[in-house]
Amino acid sequence: MATNPMPKLRHNGRPAGEPLVWLTSMGLAVALAMAVCLFGLIAYNGAGVFWPKRLTAYTINPDGKHEVLVGELVNDRERSDGGGREIQIYLANKDALGNSFRFVAAGTIINTEQPNDLMRIERMADGPAIGVPVSLSDGATTLLASDPTFVTKLQQLIDDGATRRDELRHLERNVIGANSREINQQKTKLTTAQRAANPEAIATAETTLARLDSEFQKLDAQAMALRNQHGNDRLTLRLGDGTLRKLPIGAPENGLLSFRFPNQLGFFARLSAMASNGWHFLADNPRESNTDGGIFPAIFGTFVMTLMMSCAVTPFGVLAAIYLREYARQGFFVRAVRVAINNLAGVPSIVFGVFGLGFFVYGVGGSIDELFYADSLPTPTYGTGGLIWAAATLALMPVPVVIVATEESIAAVPRGAREGSIALGASKWQTIRSIVLPAAIPGILTGLILAMARGAGEVAPLMLVGVVKSAPSLPVDGLWNSTDIIPFIHLDQKFMHLGFHIYDLGFQSPDSDAAKPMVFATTFLLILLVLALNLGAIILRDRLRKKYASATF
């Protein structure tokens, strides 16, 4: 009976190589600590964006002249030139001050206080406003801030403005948008009829165009009436320097969204305000060059693109792995293919973007336009960047991972299960379909998890094949365009992406100080989205592994 050999001992009686075991465990501990610290830093700075900070009035005397600055404390640091400590204050009121941030030497501050009547206001444009409310006015009557009904009246006017904005948004995007699409379709039909010299088709298209133009004029007048309904409602706000600013309340472009008195909030009220801010960050559209508002279009675009990429990469990767493992004759050609697949995994992502631009966008998309949308040329329909080409381009990148993971999973299926199936009369394909693939699904999903994790965070290829800084509409909605291959899914439409949103905020934003908190918040959300997608795939993999556990014995 064979026995296991005794491990080699060092002179002190301990097994040889024990320090290497400690070294590997230390490496794992360091890696985990780095990951936890990085995620903790991002989470702390990202979640801190939503916490309502106290407003402080700083009285400074930099040059013998008193000045009052009202805002939020952003940073407190030592100056790099050794000139002492300085603080950074977020003043808001960008339309009045020109710059929302200001550094102040700590030695020039002669007094600080936090009055309870300081108000922070969120606006549709020009960023937040900070000051002391003075009055409400509609052009005829004035309601002072000292009136007990002031806050209730202001909230009512803001709610009325939000209702009108929703009505206007629905009218412009759905009703007027549908009318505009029909007009464009009729113009295309008119152009086709004119080329074919078909008088009857020309007359029909011109009649329809005239009717649609008349409807458009009525809808445009209705939209203009909604825009003018806000009237002369104004909130008078006193800034830190004593100047008065009149802010329009219900205007669609630059009206007020919400207001808060941060210095009056207790702990639980701040938690509630934090939850509200977080919800608006998730559900609203971006504003102010993406430095304000929410990021819902970017979340939605990232989710849809990742799902489409996963649906595209899985069939091709699995089929390629089945052929290489089960059908291909092992030889030089198959070895060369495997080497090529392994090398493909190391190609820089921007190379895939250039390939996607040339092959998918200009090649495939341009051909589709010439065959099916020739009447719309030279304006491209599918011959430009869009959701479908972004998903197809990113699907190329994780193909090697899916192929390798699938091959390893197929190879791990016991030979006895295959032979038993064939012995019962099943063909090779029936055996693969009914025995091998179900048992290999957990490994296939492992490759898919890695594919989703990589695809969701890529940015460079997307910059060439469809992602944009701001998309006015979602790639999936309740509208059916004539160019939709799949109803209500606009594959030809450009979209927003969380990864590109982070890049744009960090490197392209005109206001880097205002963009910095949004970078952390968006990064934190992207990590959570990737974790959610991976967790869903992991749960599905574990359930399938339990379901088909008997196939591995």
Side-chain angles (χ1 to χ4, degrees):
M1 182 175 179
T3 58
N4 293 329
M6 291 292 295
K8 295 182 180 180
L9 300 179
R10 293 170 49 184
H11 67 277
N12 57 6
R14 288 185 298 178
E18 185 174 351
L20 295 179
V21 177
W22 285 99
L23 183 62
T24 56
S25 62
M26 183 179 67
L28 175 61
V30 171
L32 289 176
M34 292 175 61
V36 170
C37 290
L38 177 60
F39 184 75
L41 176 65
I42 295 173
Y44 175 78
N45 288 278
V49 175
F50 311 122
W51 183 260
K53 298 179 180 178
R54 293 186 178 274
L55 299 178
T56 305
Y58 297 90
T59 304
I60 62 175
N61 186 17
D63 300 313
K65 181 180 179 182
H66 281 58
E67 184 179 1
V68 178
L69 303 177
V70 177
E72 301 172 351
L73 177 63
V74 177
N75 197 3
D76 189 344
R77 66 185 185 184
E78 292 290 334
R79 296 182 57 176
S80 57
D81 58 359
R85 192 169 57 89
E86 65 179 0
I87 63 173
Q88 185 182 25
I89 307 172
Y90 177 59
L91 304 174
N93 304 309
K94 184 169 62 175
D95 54 334
L97 304 178
N99 189 2
S100 300
F101 292 84
R102 182 168 172 181
F103 283 96
V104 176
T108 64
I109 301 175
I110 59 178
N111 185 43
T112 60
E113 57 180 342
Q114 296 179 339
N116 287 334
D117 58 351
L118 285 176
M119 175 188 286
R120 178 188 170 102
I121 303 170
E122 297 293 334
R123 298 185 287 179
M124 286 290 296
D126 298 323
I130 293 176
V132 177
V134 176
S135 63
L136 286 175
S137 173
D138 60 1
T141 60
T142 300
L143 181 67
L144 296 179
S146 57
D147 192 288
T149 63
F150 175 84
V151 173
T152 303
K153 181 63 175 178
L154 177 58
Q155 185 63 55
Q156 179 184 351
L157 293 175
I158 291 177
D159 292 341
D160 292 342
T163 302
R164 286 193 297 270
R165 278 194 298 272
D166 291 339
E167 294 177 357
L168 181 62
R169 186 181 300 111
H170 172 76
L171 180 63
E172 291 180 339
R173 292 187 178 181
N174 298 336
V175 183
I176 296 180
N179 178 271
S180 299
R181 284 190 294 273
E182 291 183 13
I183 289 177
N184 292 332
Q185 293 173 10
Q186 291 300 321
K187 288 182 178 179
T188 301
K189 291 181 180 180
L190 178 60
T191 302
T192 303
Q194 290 174 343
R195 291 176 180 175
N198 187 338
E200 182 177 353
I202 292 175
T204 301
E206 288 179 343
T207 302
T208 306
L209 273 176
R211 176 180 60 80
L212 292 174
D213 285 336
S214 176
E215 293 178 359
F216 177 82
Q217 297 299 328
K218 295 179 182 178
L219 293 173
D220 187 59
Q222 185 178 350
M224 185 61 65
L226 281 175
R227 290 180 179 276
N228 295 331
Q229 277 185 13
H230 65 87
N232 297 318
D233 295 332
R234 296 290 187 273
L235 168 65
T236 302
L237 197 69
R238 181 185 297 111
L239 305 187
D241 59 1
T243 60
L244 299 180
R245 299 280 296 179
K246 291 188 176 182
L247 308 180
I249 298 177
E253 292 82 8
N254 58 350
L256 308 188
L257 294 172
S258 63
F259 67 93
R260 186 176 291 126
F261 295 92
N263 296 344
Q264 298 180 13
L265 300 179
F267 177 75
F268 292 104
R270 291 181 184 278
L271 283 179
S272 176
M274 182 180 180
S276 176
N277 292 338
W279 169 251
H280 286 293
F281 178 73
L282 296 176
D284 292 349
N285 292 331
R287 304 189 304 270
E288 292 298 302
S289 298
N290 293 339
T291 61
D292 203 0
I295 56 172
F296 177 74
I299 298 173
F300 193 83
T302 304
F303 180 77
V304 172
M305 190 276 300
T306 303
L307 287 184
M308 291 183 60
M309 179 207 70
S310 302
C311 293
V313 68
T314 303
F316 291 105
V318 172
L319 291 175
I322 291 175
Y323 177 78
L324 290 175
R325 176 59 61 176
E326 300 291 336
Y327 290 100
R329 178 177 298 177
Q330 303 303 313
F332 173 78
F333 177 75
V334 173
R335 288 197 300 271
V337 169
R338 286 198 171 95
V339 170
I341 290 173
N342 293 331
N343 289 336
L344 192 64
V347 175
S349 60
I350 191 65
V351 176
F352 287 96
V354 174
F355 174 81
L357 179 66
F359 180 76
F360 290 121
V361 177
Y362 295 149
V364 180
S367 300
I368 292 176
D369 285 351
E370 292 178 359
L371 291 175
F372 301 103
Y373 303 100
D375 294 334
S376 300
L377 294 175
T379 302
T381 302
Y382 283 92
T384 184
L387 179 63
I388 185 173
W389 307 135
T393 300
L394 286 189
L396 297 175
M397 299 172 56
V399 163
V401 177
V402 176
I403 291 177
V404 172
T406 303
E407 277 202 78
E408 295 297 330
S409 300
I410 292 175
V413 177
R415 183 177 178 180
R418 305 167 186 261
E419 293 176 348
S421 175
I422 294 175
L424 292 174
S427 65
K428 186 171 184 177
W429 170 244
Q430 288 174 331
T431 300
I432 293 173
R433 183 187 62 190
S434 303
I435 303 298
V436 176
L437 281 182
I441 281 180
I444 296 173
L445 288 178
T446 299
L448 181 61
I449 291 169
L450 297 174
M452 288 193 302
R454 184 181 182 186
E458 284 292 344
V459 177
L462 298 178
M463 296 170 63
L464 301 176
V465 292
V467 74
V468 290
K469 177 185 178 72
S470 177
S473 58
L474 299 177
V476 179
D477 54 29
L479 303 177
W480 191 345
N481 296 341
S482 60
T483 59
D484 291 348
I485 299 176
I486 303 175
F488 313 121
I489 301 179
H490 316 311
L491 300 177
D492 59 320
Q493 184 171 304
K494 291 179 170 57
F495 64 102
M496 295 183 67
H497 187 272
L498 285 172
F500 183 78
H501 191 75
I502 295 170
Y503 165 78
D504 177 69
L505 287 172
F507 299 97
Q508 304 294 323
S509 176
D511 192 346
S512 59
D513 288 324
K516 188 182 300 181
M518 295 291 288
V519 170
F520 283 105
T522 308
T523 303
F524 178 59
L525 186 62
L526 177 58
I527 294 175
L528 292 181
L529 180 61
V530 173
L531 289 177
L533 291 171
N534 289 348
L535 183 61
I538 290 172
I539 293 174
L540 178 61
R541 180 186 64 183
D542 291 342
R543 289 186 177 181
L544 292 173
R545 178 176 292 165
K546 294 178 181 179
K547 180 178 180 180
Y548 297 108
S550 60
T552 61
F553 297 99

